[in-house]
Amino acid sequence: MAKFEDFKYVRTIDCRQGAVRAVRYNVDGIYCLTCGSDKKIKLWNHKTGLLLKTYGGHADEVTDARSSCESSNIVSASLDKSIIYWDVSTGAPVRRLRGHAGGVKCVCFNEDSSIAISGGRDNAVFCWDIRTRRLEPVQMMREAKDCITSVLSNENKIITSSLDGCIRHYDIRAGELTVDKVGVPITYLCMTRDEQCLVAACQDSVVRLLDCESGGILSEYRGHAADDYQVECGIMSNDAHIISGSSNGSAYVWDLLEGKVLQNLEISE
Amino acid sequence: MTSDVDVHKYGTPLPLLEFDEVVPTKKPVYAQDQIATDDQGRRRFHGAFTGGFSAGYWNTVGSKEGWTPQSFKSSRSEKASGRVTQRPEDFMDDEDLGEFGIAPKGLQIQEDYTGPETSKEQRKRKFLQCDLKAIPGEPVLQQLLRPVKDKVSVRILKSWGWRPGQGFGPRQTRKEKKKARERNKKELYLLEKYGCDLPTNSKTANDTDDDDDDQDDGDDDSEEDDITFAPEDFEPIPYGLKEDRYGLGYKPLSRHSVLGGSNQSSSSVAAHKEHINLFKPLEMMGKNNQKISFAGQAFGVGALEEDDDEDVYATDDLTRYDFSLEDKKKPKKSKKALTPDELIFEDFHIDLKPDKPLEYKLEIPFGWQPRNWYEKRSRFEPLDPRTQRQLEKKFAKPQDTNADEGEMTRERRAELLGEEIKRKEEETKGNFVPPSVVKPSIAELQRQQKERQQKTQDLMEKISAKSSNFTRGGIITIEGEEKAAPPLTAEEISSAFKPFANDNAKQKRYEQFLAANLQNDHEIDDFLENIQPIELSLWDRQMEKKEFVQAKKIYRPLKGIMSDRFVTESQVKAEQKVAEIEKDPSKPIVVERSKMMWKPHSLLCKRYNIAEPFGGLMEDEKKKTKNKSKMSVFDYLETSVNKKEDFQTPVIIPKNVEKPQELVKQQTSDSANVTEEKEEGTVNLEWQDVLQGKTKATEEKSSFVFKPKTDLEKQVVESMDKPITEKKELFKSIFSDSESDGEEEDNSKPGQQPTDILNPLSKPLNAAAANLLRNNSPPRGIFKALFNVPVNNTTESTKSEEEKPQLKLNEVVEKQNDIEMKEPAKETPKQIETTKILFQPKSSREPKENSNSTFTSSLPSANTTELYGPSLPSNLKANDNTKTSASSSTSAAAIDAKLLELFNKHKPSARLTEVWVEKSSKRNSSDSDDDSSSSDTSSSSDDDDVKHKKRSKKSKKKKSSEHKHKKHKEHHKSSKKSKKSDKKKKKKHKKK
């Protein structure tokens, strides 16, 4: 069990992007991407606070962005119903993929960044082949009954969470869809390193640890407030601590096993 | 008389008429005959006043070619530069830009134009005192920086009528002006000349001036003096400080050498060496040994001097100099100036005793504050105190005289509403303690809520009951009695609303009255009499008393009822939160897991580097949708049943096998033979549909043992069999040699027909559940003939019934086999454990067929209940029992081996079929035999039962035919197999 060291404040980066919708590290964590409500994505060196590049081309707020495994491309989702595949160095949009009937809320790459998976407000999850110039999605998954809040993918699964309270595992290898109905709208989903568990931020101000195999709830983490915000959660790389945002502007860190709050990070008012 | 020269001509003169020329008779051109033309003489017939408002090209657009829209081009590589600027002129014609057009392009004088001197260069006065400064010329900074606006002084002057270029002072007559000019000139002259030089040409210059003046004077003589002019603008003469003792304006040569260095006159050596030093006073020895020295710049006239005309030898006219400070011209001027007498009209005279000089004393209004009105001011700046006061006065309410009553704060409102000041406490607490801690307990809240509800309910009742006398103004308590208000405390009184706030004395009395809390009318009278001032009239007293009594009733601090009715927001929120929290623990979240089939796209699999599940044989959603998109007549026939989603394959509930998690089945829907389709075309399809529907309908009603109860069911069953019989009839009619012959023919040629037609029946039967929409009424018209069952066919039908189970079984098994069919069939039934998908060798069905064919007739046995769906015929059961119950695996294996042989004979190749996904999550993996058999039994039992009944009704005829039929069926099976294999091939081809 890794010993928990309190998070310390290091730096504030003023993005000047209006509301920042998402912040994502790249693969090796050297850079980070911020998605602003000013329709732009900014690439930062978070260690120095240096703005490296701004990617503009979306027509509405950018909701999510991910960088590819070799950090040469970015895929971003926006409320303008499109996702854009960017070239990092030139800053030019390589491909703009339209297909969602509503704003796109989340996007991710598969492991080798050959497929982009996006989920949107139109309750659909689309898989886009970005290796080819095809502009239609490779696959559409329309099982969800409500807005898709996050998508994940590992080497053989696509996992989506939706506001209809379900987590859907699309197992490509087995060709089956497993629906775990939690019953509470899920605002964010992330996976543990060992891919055994899912951490789901629920609308009822509880972060739940779910078992991938059985679908059962392993643990619940309380103390923060989700309210009506789309609060994200995460798990530390050592799989020992869970962190989640809170609507009161702070972040909470829990111990994964014991479920007690280890730290309350006051981030903003 | 004025000469022609004096007349100013305006316009072009008419040509002079010759006397002998005949004056052309002028016909007046009437208005209707007048033509409006434009500059080019083109006719324009509209625009009445300016001679034509021409519109484009002959009143169309633009030019002869028409109007061409401006092109806008912007590509990704070449972006259009900015916005295309279009001016209104682009859309105008030439005439519009002319003098009379709507947008004249001519030069116009601006409003505030006054003259050439308004130009910026001229606006500032030039100063002459350049030489007084170190750097000559106009200061550079002043040249660079020019004020945008005129100075205030200039603006004021302008508003007084001054124009740039004019001088200041009273207006002058011409003469005065001339003199002033002269004088100024002289001064200037003196300044310029005598500042450095001797006045040489002053006289001549003056003379010329005088000549001009004389001329002017001659002109002026005729004019009167009352025309006054603005005085000329003279350059102010700069005066420098006098630092030396030379004469006025005299500037000696500088003693310093131009070339620098020290050249002192005292050093004689140096002097000898030097040439004549021009800058030294030239010393000459005069006649009388006098030393004459000349010094100054005035010495000599250079050849290069510009002024050649200068009279070098002219002596300076001393008249130019004023020898005293008295002004010679003054008397003249004063003469010219109008005396006061002249100014006075006849009837007026000067007041010889003027009043003491007027003292101008401005009375500045109190509180007046100077303000520069040119300075812009934000309206958000604080008002100046006076206006603020005025505004306050204006908007102040009369009752607001009491300071504490003036503003209604939240606390005050809360007080008035009788609300405890909870809010503050909560606010203070809320920051540190989570709200859940602060909240009152749920039980308490609930109790309060109940009480409140109770109260309001009661109150409503009472109010409605008392509505007649509700206006009395008393307080209805919760008890319902309108009891006198309780006496108010002093604090309450002070905090209560003050109805007589505008009259302090009255208010005080009122407060006293309240404090006394008198009930009795008489007492009130007495009390008021004591406190009321004497000067109040009796009527006033009475009025006041009434007012007080009224006010007391009306204005009471809100307590009791009102406080019950209103709830603070914080309370409400607290309740909500309690409710939320309460909800949570009561319903612990249990994750429900469900699984279903999902087909990933092949490309997706490729990208994920994963082999497609089931070799890509899963049902494709896209295909489904594609199929749906095609409209066909049969879409109407297959209502809800034939959609794959609606199919529910039979759910097997075996006794000995534990329930698996999921049941996935792959089944074929290819009941229709290709040949059959070819023969019968679309009609056949219809037939299948109909048959399916019927069987399904019947199946739905039957629980385990099928017993047709209603006529409809019977009909349905009959109708199922008809095709065969009908076919037979048909063939008979065609080849009507004899019965036996006909049947032979039947067997030989369309041997597979009956089974073909029965094939649809062998589809999963409970899929028919929903097919109630189908028209089950007995056939009419043409179809009646088709559906009529000849009596002698019953036996045949019974046989077919018996065989049906097998067929169905086959079908189901086949479906399950489909995937495996690709590979060579294996002896043992293959099962995939994890995926729980059934794979059964085709051989498994063979033995049953064979064995079944040997059985003649049977009744459903009791042990059918073991199985799901309609029961098997007893003979089959028996067979099953012997096989499965005793040692299902071994015996089945043995039979399988046999069947495999058979199968291999007939099986040319594997075939592809569609995949069926079962919706229900239950799935049987282990008992493929049971599964198939049960599905068989379901259909077979149906048929059996029906047929049994029929048999009982009708005499058993045509045993031979029955026999034949059996044979025929066997035959058919083999042929069917071959056909199926054909089909498989075809499908494979299609897929490829």
Side-chain angles (χ1 to χ4, degrees):
Chain A
M1 179 76 196
K3 196 167 179 274
F4 178 69
E5 285 176 27
D6 275 6
F7 288 99
K8 290 184 200 75
Y9 167 82
V10 177
R11 184 173 294 104
T12 301
I13 301 173
D14 184 8
C15 298
R16 296 159 195 269
Q17 286 185 289
V20 179
R21 295 297 179 207
V23 183
R24 306 277 184 246
Y25 281 119
N26 74 332
V27 173
D28 49 6
I30 292 173
Y31 306 110
C32 69
L33 291 163
T34 56
C35 310
S37 52
D38 67 341
K39 308 166 189 175
K40 291 197 171 52
I41 305 152
K42 286 185 176 178
L43 175 66
W44 303 87
N45 183 338
H46 60 86
K47 297 223 168 79
T48 58
L50 186 71
L51 172 64
L52 300 171
K53 198 103 189 165
T54 304
Y55 304 91
H58 274 298
D60 208 337
E61 290 187 12
V62 185
T63 50
D64 199 0
R66 295 291 171 110
S67 73
S68 64
C69 56
E70 73 276 27
S71 293
S72 65
N73 295 99
I74 295 169
V75 68
S76 64
S78 166
L79 292 185
D80 65 359
K81 305 175 188 175
S82 73
I83 70 174
I84 293 184
Y85 183 62
W86 304 87
D87 189 288
V88 169
S89 52
T90 63
V94 178
R95 213 156 292 143
R96 183 190 279 265
L97 303 163
R98 295 188 183 84
H100 279 282
V104 191
K105 292 292 286 181
C106 50
V107 72
C108 77
F109 275 116
N110 69 335
E111 284 208 328
D112 60 348
S113 302
S114 57
I115 293 272
I117 305 147
S118 64
R121 287 183 174 168
D122 56 348
N123 311 349
V125 178
F126 287 2
C127 300
W128 309 85
D129 184 7
I130 51 176
R131 288 271 169 84
T132 61
R133 302 193 64 176
R134 218 170 108 148
L135 294 176
E136 297 89 51
V138 173
Q139 179 122 31
M140 297 184 253
M141 288 94 98
R142 299 185 181 276
E143 284 81 10
K145 307 288 189 299
D146 205 338
C147 172
I148 307 289
T149 50
S150 66
V151 286
L152 285 176
S153 178
N154 64 1
E155 60 182 5
N156 62 344
K157 269 185 181 178
I158 296 168
I159 305 167
T160 67
S161 68
S162 168
L163 289 184
D164 63 3
C166 289
I167 296 170
R168 291 178 172 80
H169 305 253
Y170 296 90
D171 193 333
I172 298 163
R173 184 167 287 159
E176 67 178 20
L177 160 64
T178 309
V179 183
D180 288 343
K181 186 166 186 193
V182 182
V184 183
I186 298 152
T187 56
Y188 200 73
L189 197 65
C190 62
M191 203 179 229
T192 54
R193 273 275 162 119
D194 56 4
E195 297 182 351
Q196 295 301 307
C197 303
L198 290 171
V199 183
C202 299
Q203 192 80 74
D204 57 348
S205 301
V206 181
V207 174
R208 292 187 168 84
L209 186 70
L210 300 156
D211 185 23
C212 279
E213 275 301 304
S214 66
I217 294 173
L218 298 175
S219 183
E220 290 189 344
Y221 307 94
R222 292 166 191 276
H224 67 300
D227 293 349
D228 288 335
Y229 294 88
Q230 186 174 346
V231 170
E232 294 190 354
C233 64
I235 186 156
M236 294 292 121
S237 58
N238 55 8
D239 278 357
H241 309 297
I242 281 172
I243 186 158
S244 168
S246 175
S247 63
N248 56 15
S250 55
Y252 287 75
V253 185
W254 290 274
D255 189 286
L256 182 123
L257 294 176
E258 293 167 42
K260 68 176 184 207
V261 178
L262 295 173
Q263 195 186 357
N264 181 4
L265 292 160
E266 304 253 336
I267 291 167
S268 67
E269 293 300 302
Chain B
M1 279 296 285
T2 53
S3 62
D4 278 354
V5 187
D6 292 335
V7 177
H8 294 282
K9 286 174 183 164
Y10 187 79
T12 46
L14 286 168
L16 290 171
L17 290 172
E18 300 288 323
F19 279 107
D20 54 343
E21 205 177 357
V22 182
V23 179
T25 50
K26 266 197 176 174
K27 253 189 191 172
V29 182
Y30 295 106
Q32 64 266 25
D33 297 330
Q34 287 174 357
I35 292 167
T37 56
D38 67 355
D39 296 344
Q40 280 89 43
R42 292 176 302 197
R43 186 169 173 176
R44 290 286 180 268
F45 46 83
H46 54 265
F49 297 106
T50 58
F53 179 96
S54 63
Y57 178 78
W58 297 104
N59 295 310
T60 63
V61 288
S63 62
K64 196 171 185 177
E65 291 79 28
W67 180 73
T68 48
Q70 204 160 20
S71 62
F72 176 79
K73 204 171 162 187
S74 176
S75 62
R76 189 174 287 179
S77 55
E78 284 179 62
K79 288 259 159 97
S81 57
R83 197 172 286 174
V84 179
T85 51
Q86 282 187 321
R87 295 166 304 137
E89 284 81 3
D90 295 341
F91 302 96
M92 287 181 184
D93 297 315
D94 298 338
E95 288 85 0
D96 294 331
L97 306 175
E99 193 183 354
F100 300 110
I102 51 173
K105 274 270 165 128
L107 290 172
Q108 275 184 336
I109 292 168
Q110 279 188 332
E111 275 177 33
D112 54 346
Y113 175 81
T114 49
E117 281 175 345
T118 43
S119 62
K120 276 175 186 172
E121 292 78 30
Q122 299 285 329
R123 200 164 60 180
K124 273 215 127 182
R125 294 168 63 99
K126 271 186 206 159
F127 289 99
L128 284 172
Q129 56 230 44
C130 16
D131 47 347
L132 298 180
K133 283 173 234 164
I135 302 164
E138 205 180 343
V140 183
L141 200 63
Q142 277 183 25
Q143 277 179 333
L144 290 174
L145 304 175
R146 297 194 181 281
V148 179
K149 285 180 185 173
D150 282 330
K151 282 180 180 173
V152 176
S153 57
V154 175
R155 277 210 302 270
I156 291 168
L157 277 173
K158 273 184 177 175
S159 69
W160 286 347
W162 176 82
R163 290 285 169 273
Q166 290 178 353
F168 304 110
R171 296 180 74 81
Q172 295 166 328
T173 57
R174 198 164 175 175
K175 261 186 185 168
E176 279 175 335
K177 208 178 166 184
K178 203 197 292 161
K179 266 171 197 158
R181 193 165 59 214
E182 231 169 81
R183 188 180 141 81
N184 191 54
K185 211 182 266 174
K186 204 156 117 191
E187 280 171 357
L188 268 181
Y189 172 82
L190 285 174
L191 180 79
E192 284 170 11
K193 290 286 174 188
Y194 294 91
C196 59
D197 211 345
L198 283 170
T200 50
N201 62 339
S202 61
K203 186 90 191 241
T204 51
N206 241 9
D207 286 344
T208 52
D209 276 355
D210 282 341
D211 291 344
D212 290 342
D213 286 348
D214 288 340
Q215 273 189 353
D216 286 347
D217 282 340
D219 289 341
D220 287 345
D221 288 340
S222 59
E223 289 173 25
E224 288 169 39
D225 278 346
D226 32 323
I227 300 173
T228 56
F229 299 92
E232 272 182 36
D233 191 18
F234 298 117
E235 300 297 337
I237 295 155
Y239 295 105
L241 278 176
K242 188 81 181 148
E243 287 165 335
D244 48 14
R245 289 182 190 170
Y246 297 111
L248 275 176
Y250 179 74
K251 214 197 243 172
L253 271 177
S254 164
R255 280 179 180 273
H256 303 292
S257 162
V258 177
L259 302 168
S262 60
N263 42 359
Q264 287 152 5
S265 56
S266 55
S267 63
S268 59
V269 187
H272 281 293
K273 279 178 187 173
E274 282 176 23
H275 296 288
I276 298 161
N277 191 354
L278 283 175
F279 300 99
K280 264 185 174 176
L282 187 65
E283 285 175 12
M284 288 175 77
M285 294 305 284
K287 288 169 189 172
N288 307 327
N289 258 351
Q290 278 177 320
K291 232 185 196 177
I292 305 163
S293 68
F294 301 91
Q297 291 174 338
F299 182 74
V301 176
L304 296 172
E305 268 192 52
E306 289 173 17
D307 235 348
D308 289 341
D309 298 337
E310 272 183 339
D311 185 4
V312 182
Y313 305 102
T315 52
D316 193 11
D317 185 12
L318 286 179
T319 53
R320 287 175 181 276
Y321 297 95
D322 290 330
F323 290 95
S324 65
L325 285 174
E326 69 173 314
D327 196 356
K328 276 181 191 169
K329 280 156 195 173
K330 213 171 186 180
K332 264 190 192 173
K333 264 191 184 170
S334 63
K335 208 196 273 174
K336 291 273 165 171
L338 292 168
T339 55
D341 293 335
E342 283 171 317
L343 286 170
I344 295 161
F345 295 107
E346 283 176 11
D347 296 338
F348 294 87
H349 61 90
I350 296 170
D351 188 3
L352 293 172
K353 286 182 263 175
D355 291 337
K356 44 188 171 177
L358 284 168
E359 283 178 22
Y360 289 102
K361 191 182 172 189
L362 281 174
E363 280 205 17
I364 298 165
F366 176 73
W368 179 81
Q369 285 194 326
R371 186 190 155 182
N372 187 356
W373 287 94
Y374 278 92
E375 207 175 89
K376 297 236 163 134
R377 166 172 227 171
S378 164
R379 64 203 154 108
F380 301 111
E381 275 176 35
L383 291 165
D384 63 299
R386 191 152 150 268
T387 45
Q388 199 166 8
R389 242 176 286 130
Q390 278 177 342
L391 282 174
E392 272 171 16
K393 251 183 222 170
K394 204 172 172 185
F395 292 107
K397 284 168 193 168
Q399 67 198 29
D400 282 353
T401 44
N402 276 345
D404 55 345
E405 201 70 27
E407 281 180 23
M408 198 68 138
T409 59
R410 186 196 291 172
E411 284 75 23
R412 187 168 287 278
R413 258 200 303 276
E415 241 173 67
L416 282 176
L417 287 168
E419 196 178 85
E420 282 84 14
I421 306 167
K422 239 181 242 172
R423 193 188 301 271
K424 270 188 188 169
E425 295 164 12
E426 277 185 8
E427 273 170 1
T428 50
K429 278 180 199 168
N431 290 338
F432 309 106
V433 191
S436 56
V437 178
V438 185
K439 273 167 247 148
S441 70
I442 307 149
E444 197 182 328
L445 279 171
Q446 280 173 340
R447 187 178 50 78
Q448 282 178 5
Q449 175 73 15
K450 260 185 197 170
E451 272 177 25
R452 221 171 291 125
Q453 278 177 350
Q454 189 64 34
K455 274 180 191 173
T456 43
Q457 220 171 11
D458 291 352
L459 194 70
M460 284 312 292
E461 283 169 16
K462 275 151 202 168
I463 285 169
S464 54
K466 285 222 167 201
S467 57
S468 56
N469 53 0
F470 189 58
T471 47
R472 276 176 63 193
I475 288 168
I476 300 174
T477 58
I478 291 151
E479 289 77 47
E481 299 307 311
E482 191 184 295
K483 73 177 181 190
L488 298 165
T489 62
E491 177 230 356
E492 272 175 343
I493 289 162
S494 61
S495 69
F497 179 68
K498 292 174 179 171
F500 311 106
N502 50 357
D503 189 346
N504 257 337
K506 198 172 180 182
Q507 179 64 32
K508 241 177 216 171
R509 285 202 295 277
Y510 175 63
E511 277 167 23
Q512 281 176 336
F513 165 75
L514 282 183
N517 189 35
L518 302 165
Q519 306 297 334
N520 200 337
D521 196 55
H522 194 68
E523 278 176 32
I524 292 167
D525 276 340
D526 289 346
F527 179 77
L528 282 180
E529 251 175 61
N530 285 335
I531 57 170
Q532 273 164 348
I534 310 156
E535 64 263 22
L536 273 180
S537 66
L538 187 67
W539 189 79
D540 282 339
R541 278 163 203 254
Q542 287 295 325
M543 280 304 293
E544 197 172 276
K545 182 195 155 194
K546 270 185 191 173
E547 279 173 3
F548 282 3
V549 172
Q550 278 290 337
K552 189 186 171 186
K553 279 180 182 172
I554 294 165
Y555 305 113
R556 274 188 70 85
L558 289 169
K559 279 224 164 174
I561 310 167
M562 291 307 252
S563 64
D564 280 342
R565 288 199 180 178
F566 293 97
V567 184
T568 59
E569 194 191 349
S570 55
Q571 223 171 340
V572 173
K573 272 192 179 169
E575 275 174 51
Q576 279 177 350
K577 275 187 184 160
V578 166
E580 272 173 28
I581 286 165
E582 196 180 12
K583 201 176 76 181
D584 282 347
S586 67
K587 206 172 65 176
I589 285 164
V590 178
V591 178
E592 296 164 33
R593 171 162 277 210
S594 55
K595 288 192 176 183
M596 56 183 93
M597 297 292 289
W598 170 72
K599 194 199 171 178
H601 193 272
S602 59
L603 188 55
L604 190 71
C605 295
K606 205 195 266 176
R607 288 273 176 260
Y608 270 85
N609 207 10
I610 292 170
E612 278 189 71
F614 311 115
L617 291 177
M618 292 179 73
E619 181 198 28
D620 199 357
E621 281 177 42
K622 271 191 181 174
K623 273 188 184 172
K624 240 199 278 175
T625 51
K626 268 181 193 172
N627 288 341
K628 269 181 195 169
S629 64
K630 276 182 194 170
M631 269 291 290
S632 82
V633 187
F634 304 111
D635 288 352
Y636 297 103
L637 290 169
E638 42 178 44
T639 48
S640 59
V641 184
N642 283 2
K643 284 176 199 163
K644 284 160 193 167
E645 297 95 327
D646 297 317
F647 275 107
Q648 297 242 321
T649 42
V651 178
I652 291 99
I653 311 164
K655 268 188 173 173
N656 49 351
V657 181
E658 77 272 20
K659 282 184 196 172
Q661 284 283 311
E662 200 191 18
L663 181 64
V664 178
K665 281 189 180 174
Q666 298 183 341
Q667 296 166 326
T668 54
S669 62
D670 60 327
S671 51
N673 262 333
V674 182
T675 49
E676 184 74 15
E677 274 172 29
K678 274 177 189 168
E679 280 173 21
E680 298 202 0
T682 53
V683 184
N684 190 24
L685 281 172
E686 267 190 66
W687 266 110
Q688 286 170 18
D689 285 335
V690 172
L691 287 171
Q692 272 179 27
K694 306 282 166 164
T695 47
K696 283 160 198 166
T698 51
E699 209 265 341
E700 187 187 36
K701 282 178 183 175
S702 65
S703 55
F704 284 100
V705 182
F706 180 81
K707 283 167 190 166
K709 284 162 193 169
T710 60
D711 287 353
L712 185 73
E713 283 175 14
K714 280 172 195 170
Q715 277 175 358
V716 166
V717 174
E718 280 170 353
S719 68
M720 287 196 312
D721 300 329
K722 265 165 207 164
I724 315 155
T725 58
E726 184 50 43
K727 289 274 155 52
K728 278 193 171 175
E729 293 290 327
L730 201 87
F731 280 113
K732 271 179 197 170
S733 65
I734 294 164
F735 314 98
S736 62
D737 295 333
S738 65
E739 268 198 358
S740 58
D741 280 352
E743 281 181 7
E744 288 297 332
E745 292 252 333
D746 254 19
N747 288 346
S748 59
K749 201 196 169 188
Q752 67 261 35
Q753 270 183 0
T755 42
D756 284 345
I757 291 153
L758 282 171
N759 271 342
L761 298 179
S762 57
K763 275 192 173 181
L765 282 174
N766 67 345
N771 192 10
L772 297 168
L773 296 168
R774 208 157 290 278
N775 184 11
N776 288 335
S777 62
R780 274 164 286 177
I782 305 166
F783 295 100
K784 202 173 181 183
L786 290 171
F787 282 90
N788 266 338
V789 189
V791 180
N792 57 352
N793 277 344
T794 44
T795 47
E796 209 176 62
S797 63
T798 52
K799 259 180 218 164
S800 67
E801 283 163 35
E802 285 166 12
E803 241 132 322
K804 266 177 218 159
Q806 264 67 43
L807 290 173
K808 279 162 197 167
L809 180 122
N810 290 346
E811 285 297 320
V812 176
V813 174
E814 234 172 39
K815 281 160 202 163
Q816 289 160 352
N817 282 346
D818 282 335
I819 289 166
E820 220 214 338
M821 294 282 275
K822 284 173 120 189
E823 21 186 311
K826 284 162 192 172
E827 278 101 346
T828 50
K830 191 182 167 187
Q831 290 172 4
I832 295 171
E833 290 173 16
T834 50
T835 53
K836 294 153 189 170
I837 290 167
L838 270 184
F839 297 111
Q840 203 181 17
K842 203 171 184 179
S843 56
S844 63
R845 65 178 177 158
E846 299 280 328
K848 274 162 207 164
E849 280 174 29
N850 292 342
S851 60
N852 217 16
S853 62
T854 56
F855 293 103
T856 50
S857 67
S858 60
L859 280 160
S861 61
N863 61 356
T864 45
T865 45
E866 285 176 20
L867 298 163
Y868 174 84
S871 61
L872 278 167
S874 61
N875 55 356
L876 190 67
K877 259 296 99 84
N879 189 17
D880 276 345
N881 288 345
T882 51
K883 260 193 278 175
T884 55
S885 64
S887 59
S888 59
S889 60
T890 51
S891 62
I895 295 160
D896 275 357
K898 271 186 206 168
L899 289 170
L900 189 64
E901 285 176 18
L902 261 172
F903 169 69
N904 283 337
K905 273 184 211 166
H906 300 292
K907 195 205 74 160
S909 70
R911 64 166 204 169
L912 283 169
T913 48
E914 280 179 285
V915 178
W916 290 87
V917 180
E918 189 178 276
K919 285 225 162 167
S920 59
S921 57
K922 306 286 173 182
R923 191 165 80 80
N924 194 347
S925 61
S926 58
D927 57 341
S928 57
D929 281 27
D930 285 341
D931 191 16
S932 57
S933 62
S934 68
S935 61
D936 269 9
T937 51
S938 64
S939 59
S940 63
S941 63
D942 294 357
D943 298 354
D944 268 343
D945 283 16
V946 176
K947 259 115 221 195
H948 277 302
K949 283 198 174 177
K950 275 186 189 171
R951 229 180 292 154
S952 62
K953 275 181 189 172
K954 294 158 189 176
S955 63
K956 291 183 183 176
K957 289 177 187 177
K958 287 200 172 182
K959 285 247 169 179
S960 60
S961 69
E962 192 182 310
H963 206 67
K964 274 174 198 167
H965 200 67
K966 266 186 194 170
K967 271 186 195 169
H968 151 226
K969 269 186 184 167
E970 275 171 23
H971 183 80
H972 147 73
K973 262 167 210 163
S974 60
S975 61
K976 190 183 119 193
K977 248 177 248 165
S978 63
K979 269 180 196 169
K980 275 186 180 172
S981 61
D982 283 355
K983 229 188 188 177
K984 277 173 217 163
K985 274 182 191 169
K986 277 183 186 175
K987 280 205 173 177
K988 269 193 174 177
H989 279 296
K990 272 183 195 171
K991 282 216 168 179
K992 280 169 185 174

